[in-house]
Structure formats: C-alpha cells, structure tokens
Amino acid sequence: MDRPYKIAIIGGTGKVGKHIATHAIQKGYPVRMLVRSPEKLLHKNNAIEIVKGQVQDIENIRELLKDCQVVINTFGQPPKEEPIYSKVTTNIFKVMKELNINRYIGVSGGSLTIKEDKKSMKNRFGAKIFEVFLSKMMKDKKLEWEFLLNNKQIKWTLIRLPFVKEVLSQMLGWYNLLAR
C-alpha cells in the first residue's frame, strides 16, 4: 500500500470501535479517533491520533474528519441523555460533504429492525425488548436509518451487530478472524 487511507473512527474506545482501531493499525492504516475520555485507551499507540471531544459538537467532528478519507462510526448513546444517533449521523454527513469524503461505515446494534430482516426468534425478541424499554432511542435509530436510505451522495454501509460480548476467548477469536 503506497499511501493508505486515513480512517476517522468515532467511538474508538467502545466495545466495537477499539477492535476496529486495532485492526486498522495492524493493517497499516493511520487512524484518528474522536473520544470523550482518552484515559479509556488501554493501549497508547503512535499510529492513533486522538481528538478529544463530543460527537454532538460539529466542530469536534470537523477536526476529526480533516484529512481523512473514510469514516467509521461506532459511537454509543451516552447514558441518560436524549437519543442523538440521527442528529450525529446528519452532522457527520454534512461535514463529510464539506470535506469531500465519500465513504462512511456505521456500526449499529441488531435491535434496529428493517423491512427486509430475517432475524432469528432470539434476535426478534431482543429487538422487541429494545422497542418497549428504549422506545425513544429506537425511534431515533429508525430516523437515522431513513436518513441513510435517502442519502445519495455518500457511499455508506451500516453494519448491525446482534450481540457484542467482552469475553477474552471471543476477543481472541475476533482478532484471529480479522487477521485472516
């Protein structure tokens, strides 16, 4: 790879984001991460440039995305706050358009149900629990989904993970899977 893409990762200290950041670095990609709490970084790495800030702040998003070619969004809803997924994704796309970045990968939970789903009974039950107990968040996730569907300018992918577990053996399996 002559000049690898610089990847912006939002939520790089979370359950999924830290694995994506590690894998990207192992593959030689420079990484810039927007993190609320840099002290959560377990392993400091010179290949990771940190932008401390809040995903709700569009200026923090601008600082993060400057000179990047790919955006990976893994941020988690801050606890006890109003749902912000759709607003954050809208702001990310706004800045991406300003900076001529055209590749977005979003990571979401399997709790989001879309028309074409073929979920197992277990996953349908889990999604229903989310709809009942986290109805505001799920309505916002659906708004985000509709925003993505209606976007025609940026190439996007939404990855929906049904379950994320922090178990050492599974983490090792994840690393082995990524290394292939």
Side-chain angles (χ1 to χ4, degrees), residues 164-177:
V164 178
K165 296 181 182 181
E166 290 285 338
V167 178
L168 183 58
S169 63
Q170 289 174 331
M171 286 172 38
L172 292 173
W174 173 255
Y175 286 122
N176 290 335
L177 179 66

Side-chain angles (χ1 to χ4, degrees), residues 47-107:
I48 299 176
E49 182 183 342
I50 300 298
V51 174
K52 182 179 179 180
Q54 300 289 328
V55 72
Q56 302 94 317
D57 185 334
I58 198 163
E59 292 307 317
N60 291 162
I61 294 172
R62 272 192 189 92
E63 183 181 352
L64 172 72
L65 300 189
K66 186 176 182 275
D67 301 323
C68 290
Q69 291 77 36
V70 177
V71 177
I72 301 177
N73 181 6
T74 69
F75 97 92
Q77 174 69 39
K80 300 178 184 172
E81 289 188 23
E82 287 295 309
I84 58 173
Y85 289 107
S86 60
K87 182 178 190 299
V88 166
T89 301
T90 300
N91 284 342
I92 291 168
F93 274 51
K94 178 180 178 181
V95 174
M96 288 177 71
K97 288 174 187 173
E98 289 172 12
L99 300 175
N100 295 314
I101 302 169
N102 69 356
R103 188 65 179 106
Y104 173 88
I105 301 169
V107 179

Side-chain angles (χ1 to χ4, degrees), residues 26 32-33 46 50 64 71 74 109 116 133 146 168 173 178:
Q26 288 172 347
R32 182 182 294 150
M33 293 192 321
N46 291 336
I50 300 298
L64 172 72
V71 177
T74 69
E116 296 83 8
F133 291 104
E146 290 168 13
L168 183 58
L178 291 175

